[in-house]
Amino acid sequence: MLLNLDGAAAARDSQLAADLRTAGWSLITLDLRATVLAANRAAHDMLAAPTGRLVGMSLDACLPMFAQALKMASNDRLIRTSVAGWARRLDGHHFPIQAWFSVYGHGDDRCLAAIVVDMSEEVRDRERENFQHLLDYNRLLASAVSHEIRNLCSAISVVCSNLSSKSD
């Protein structure tokens, strides 16, 4: 019976590992020096790195907020938080991210585990919506100004007509 439970636990662990490797969100684990200990395929895609090349690479330049969090946690303080900021792909392109991370461990064994999501599409959608609101507002404003100009022209016409009838 015990072997069956161990087999089921191993199967669940294997499935979880497969799920993490193929997840659509980036999963990254860094050591104290912001060197990648593990990264799934989505992390490689997000940072424009060839598959398997992130492990052993320092991400200090790509994800500077993580290196700063590791430095802040220098007194073995645990940190669990989220951050919205900017990251840099290996090709130099900057992009907005949302990340949830945790710093854990003690001394030189401190690590950071993070889930990182590229927010580029959401930012584009928000900017597109803001631009549409700006266009709608400008259209409304132009219509109001045009209406007021028409009113002024009518008033000037009436005043001119009155002045010409009084001078006769």
Side-chain angles (χ1 to χ4, degrees), residues 66-89:
F66 294 156
Q68 292 169 1
L70 283 161
K71 289 175 188 167
M72 284 178 50
S74 62
N75 59 357
D76 294 340
R77 189 175 78 202
L78 289 176
I79 296 177
R80 291 184 191 114
T81 190
S82 65
V83 64
W86 289 85
R88 187 177 63 82
R89 290 190 173 89

Side-chain angles (χ1 to χ4, degrees), residues 6-59:
D6 288 341
R12 281 193 306 271
D13 289 348
S14 176
Q15 182 60 46
L16 179 61
D19 291 345
L20 293 175
R21 279 192 306 275
T22 60
W25 35 264
S26 300
L27 179 63
I28 301 171
T29 305
L30 305 174
D31 69 7
L32 180 62
R33 293 169 300 287
T35 302
V36 178
L37 298 174
N40 67 353
R41 186 178 64 215
H44 286 82
D45 294 345
M46 181 183 69
L47 294 173
T51 302
R53 299 292 300 269
L54 284 178
V55 175
M57 182 183 291
S58 174
L59 291 186

Side-chain angles (χ1 to χ4, degrees), residues 118-135:
D118 181 346
M119 300 297 288
S120 298
E121 193 62 35
E122 287 78 4
V123 169
R124 273 192 286 275
D125 290 345
R126 187 174 58 236
E127 291 300 318
R128 192 175 301 121
E129 189 173 324
N130 287 344
F131 183 68
Q132 189 60 47
H133 287 304
L134 181 65
L135 287 177

